[in-house]
Amino acid sequence: MSESQLPAPQFSGFLAEIVSIDMKHKTGMYGEVYLVSCKILEGKDKGRIIRRNMIGPAKPGDVIRLPDTSREAREIKVK
């Protein structure tokens, strides 16, 4: 099969837009995990804003794909 005949990849999950990033509190072994607020763009929870933990470069306005919208991250408490 040539590359033009391969089927398009199918991704599951829900699109969400990053609304804000909490830069004060980072977690993970090296401080690489951020707490972000995301607005769900599709599915039954469309319009809902939830908090999720995220690794990697991100800025407000980026669109990400979440595997599910039922889980929500707790607030990071720094001791």
Side-chain angles (χ1 to χ4, degrees):
M1 287 180 99
S2 68
E3 286 191 35
S4 62
Q5 296 174 338
L6 293 176
Q10 297 295 319
F11 298 106
S12 62
F14 303 94
L15 291 178
E17 179 182 358
I18 297 175
V19 178
S20 66
I21 302 174
D22 185 6
M23 299 299 273
K24 293 185 297 185
H25 300 109
K26 296 189 280 184
T27 189
M29 184 172 275
Y30 302 105
E32 74 279 13
V33 180
Y34 296 98
L35 186 68
V36 299
S37 296
C38 308
K39 181 178 182 182
I40 308 300
L41 300 177
E42 62 184 20
K44 64 179 175 34
D45 292 325
K46 182 177 180 179
R48 184 173 159 217
I49 295 178
I50 62 172
R51 290 185 307 219
R52 294 296 290 254
N53 291 326
M54 182 174 171
I55 298 175
K59 61 185 182 296
D62 285 353
V63 176
I64 59 174
R65 186 171 295 275
L66 301 174
D68 63 352
T69 59
S70 60
R71 291 183 293 151
E72 188 165 352
R74 292 184 298 231
E75 187 174 348
I76 299 171
K77 299 200 181 198
V78 180
K79 295 180 181 179

